[in-house]
Amino acid sequence: MPPTASFTYIVAISPSGLLTCLWYAMGINMETIAKRLTLKFGFIQASYWISQCAINSFAAVYLHAKHFENTQIGFILSFAAILSMLLQPLVASFADSSKKITLRHMLLTLMFMVLGLGLLLYILPDSFLLITVIYILINAIEYTLNPLFNSLAMEYMNQGVPMNYGLGRGMGSIAFAIMSFALGFFVDAFGPDAILPVFLLCYLFVILSTFLFEEKLPAFSAEQRALYGITEPSEAGEEKESSNLFVFLLHHKTFMVLLCGVAMLFYSHVLINTFLINIIENVGGNSSDMGLSLSIAAALELPTMALFILIVRKIKGSTLIKISALFFMVKSLLTLLAANVALVHVSMSLQMISFALFTPASIYYVNDLIEKENRVKGQSLLGVANIGIAGTLANLTGGRLLDTFGVTRMLLIGTVVTAVGFILICLSVKEPVKESGLVKEDEPVRVDGLVKENELA
């Protein structure tokens, strides 16, 4: 595209929008780079979520076959979530402050640990203690990886690459949908012991996709920086150091309320996903029905995530978070009231306007809300809330509630907790203050983490 052309496009975050404009003006086609990175990010998400489907979504099926009770399964997944709550801030703080080790290299190191643990679980003889310890470690690291993937994508988007995050994440959802459907029938045909080999095979693709997620971006010469008025961090002053966790939380009190709301919002979401096999069997279904239900929910995530960059141009990101929070509550209530398998499928279809909407909206919102030097920490704390805290509380109490009171009482308590989370979300989510940067008064219009439109003539 010639430098004088007029165009409209979507980019990720301001002031990076100015960099994208300059690259276009210099004749550099950022759309090609963005498409490649979106496809690579989609590969990461697809491979990660099919592996998660096997090791996490079918955890109850696998562990039941190893003679674990519901309460014990809840404890295993709870301790995995607790451990991830410790790991995520540590890894995030290291990623924010490290100048030598890249985030991608950190991810690959953690992934090889997961692969090694998975092989041990497959090779070693069945033992209650070994299965418990290894399953906790695998899931703890898996929970830790998810927010780091988001930070990996945001690193490029913050540099002006107009990636479609929602489309990439949606590719993970559609892969999860296919895997859920296929694995349900696979388990019915070959038994729960097939779950672990499937996980190990899928995990090789997670490692490969992360290894391939790299793109060299064009660099500006000293003359170009002078011409366009670009100031390097070293020229603008000393680059700010990332805050330690205590100082960060002290200066982001409203964000802490948001995190509490997210944890309570996801309580019923985790309950339903972890004990879906029990919910399905309670209304007369089986593993195949569970796989179909998961696949319906995941497949319907794709349209919302793929079209998110268009939706957020019409509706504020903060409003989208509140809308999605409302439907988390509605989904939980419908699951509670479901009297047959078909109605469980209907309730799971609300994933389209709950989880699928909340995921990209919250990622962009936190990226907009938190200062540059603490963004990885912010994304990780979001993961701590929706995976760590929610996962711990839901799995720890869910198994006990299920064994003591049954499915209905468990879902009732989950719905009440999620309703409180919805209220906290509504109280804490405000429009973020736009940070100052390269873009001046005549910068492109910025809409909740997106630059709406740019014109170069």
Side-chain angles (χ1 to χ4, degrees):
M1 183 178 292
T4 56
S6 201
F7 58 87
T8 302
Y9 65 100
I10 305 294
V11 296
I13 218 93
S14 182
S16 60
L18 177 61
L19 296 178
T20 310
C21 294
L22 298 182
W23 278 323
Y24 271 107
M26 293 160 57
I28 298 168
N29 191 348
M30 288 303 292
E31 287 181 1
T32 302
I33 295 174
K35 285 176 182 177
R36 282 201 301 267
L37 281 172
T38 299
L39 186 61
K40 290 178 180 180
F41 185 65
F43 184 23
I44 289 177
Q45 290 293 321
S47 55
Y48 172 76
W49 284 107
I50 60 174
S51 72
Q52 271 291 86
C53 178
I55 202 68
N56 190 267
S57 296
F58 278 75
V61 177
Y62 177 79
L63 293 173
H64 275 148
K66 301 298 180 182
H67 311 296
F68 284 75
E69 297 176 356
N70 290 320
T71 302
Q72 293 168 335
I73 293 170
F75 272 111
I76 287 173
L77 296 178
S78 295
F79 278 110
I82 291 170
L83 185 54
S84 77
M85 284 193 289
L86 301 175
L87 282 175
Q88 286 185 45
L90 290 175
V91 174
S93 293
F94 184 76
D96 276 329
S97 59
S98 177
K99 306 298 180 185
K100 295 180 180 179
I101 302 175
T102 67
L103 182 58
R104 189 170 68 97
H105 289 149
M106 291 174 61
L107 283 164
L108 287 169
T109 301
L110 292 170
M111 286 173 192
F112 277 110
M113 290 173 64
V114 169
L115 185 64
L117 289 166
L119 288 170
L120 281 177
L121 188 60
Y122 183 68
I123 294 169
L124 294 175
D126 284 351
S127 157
F128 182 89
L129 182 61
L130 280 174
I131 292 173
T132 299
V133 172
I134 293 175
Y135 221 83
I136 287 172
L137 290 173
I138 288 175
N139 279 279
I141 299 173
E142 280 283 271
Y143 294 154
T144 302
L145 292 175
N146 189 35
L148 296 178
F149 286 138
N150 296 328
S151 296
L152 194 64
M154 287 296 166
E155 280 187 351
Y156 283 98
M157 297 172 76
N158 289 332
Q159 293 179 70
V161 181
M163 279 178 60
N164 187 336
Y165 169 86
L167 178 59
R169 177 60 183 81
M171 290 167 70
S173 296
I174 198 67
F176 185 93
I178 296 168
M179 184 64 168
S180 300
F181 185 74
L183 193 55
F185 285 100
F186 201 67
V187 168
D188 278 345
F190 299 102
D193 284 337
I195 292 172
L196 191 57
V198 169
F199 167 73
L200 292 171
L201 179 63
C202 294
Y203 216 73
L204 294 174
F205 289 101
V206 185
I207 293 171
L208 176 63
S209 62
T210 306
F211 178 78
L212 294 174
F213 191 79
E214 189 175 28
E215 195 78 34
K216 289 186 177 180
L217 300 181
F220 293 106
S221 67
E223 291 79 9
Q224 288 166 337
R225 290 201 305 272
L227 175 63
Y228 293 111
I230 301 170
T231 305
E232 294 292 306
S234 58
E235 297 169 359
E238 231 178 89
E239 191 173 352
K240 292 182 181 178
E241 293 292 326
S242 65
S243 308
N244 65 54
L245 185 60
F246 178 76
V247 172
F248 175 83
L249 293 175
L250 195 63
H251 289 117
H252 295 83
K253 295 183 180 68
T254 305
F255 184 57
M256 287 181 65
V257 177
L258 169 62
L259 294 177
C260 291
V262 170
M264 299 185 78
L265 192 71
F266 270 74
Y267 180 80
S268 66
H269 177 77
V270 176
L271 277 183
I272 292 168
N273 284 348
T274 300
F275 300 106
L276 184 59
I277 185 64
N278 303 86
I279 296 168
I280 289 287
E281 287 176 348
N282 188 57
V283 292
N286 56 27
S287 294
S288 298
D289 295 314
M290 172 190 160
L292 178 59
S293 198
L294 285 172
S295 66
I296 289 170
L300 291 175
E301 290 175 9
L302 178 61
T304 303
M305 290 185 175
L307 297 174
F308 179 78
I309 57 173
L310 301 179
I311 296 170
V312 80
R313 295 174 69 186
K314 305 293 183 182
I315 307 172
K316 291 179 179 179
S318 55
T319 303
L320 291 174
I321 290 176
K322 294 173 185 176
I323 291 171
S324 64
L326 171 64
F327 280 96
F328 267 96
M329 185 174 64
V330 174
K331 175 191 169 188
S332 182
L333 181 61
L334 285 182
T335 306
L336 168 64
L337 298 175
N340 53 52
V341 172
L343 288 177
V344 174
H345 293 338
V346 171
S347 70
M348 293 297 280
S349 70
L350 290 180
Q351 193 97 332
M352 184 179 190
I353 40 181
S354 56
F355 180 82
L357 191 59
F358 182 88
T359 299
S362 61
I363 297 301
Y364 279 110
Y365 180 80
V366 171
N367 193 68
D368 228 10
L369 183 70
I370 305 301
E371 57 279 0
K372 178 183 176 182
E373 63 272 16
N374 288 312
R375 279 176 181 157
V376 176
K377 196 181 285 93
Q379 296 291 354
S380 287
L381 286 172
L382 184 63
V384 166
N386 63 31
I387 297 174
I389 298 174
T392 299
L393 295 176
N395 291 319
L396 198 60
T397 59
R400 175 68 64 174
L401 288 169
L402 194 58
D403 285 338
T404 307
F405 301 109
V407 170
T408 303
R409 194 76 61 89
M410 178 190 74
L411 290 174
L412 176 61
I413 292 171
T415 302
V416 172
V417 173
T418 294
V420 176
F422 167 65
I423 294 170
L424 290 179
I425 292 284
C426 290
L427 293 175
S428 61
V429 173
K430 311 291 182 185
E431 282 301 293
V433 177
K434 312 304 183 185
E435 69 173 21
S436 60
L438 292 172
V439 183
K440 308 302 180 186
E441 290 181 0
D442 57 344
E443 67 179 347
V445 179
R446 186 160 170 251
V447 184
D448 293 286
L450 301 176
V451 175
K452 186 175 181 182
E453 185 175 274
N454 286 290
E455 294 287 334
L456 290 182

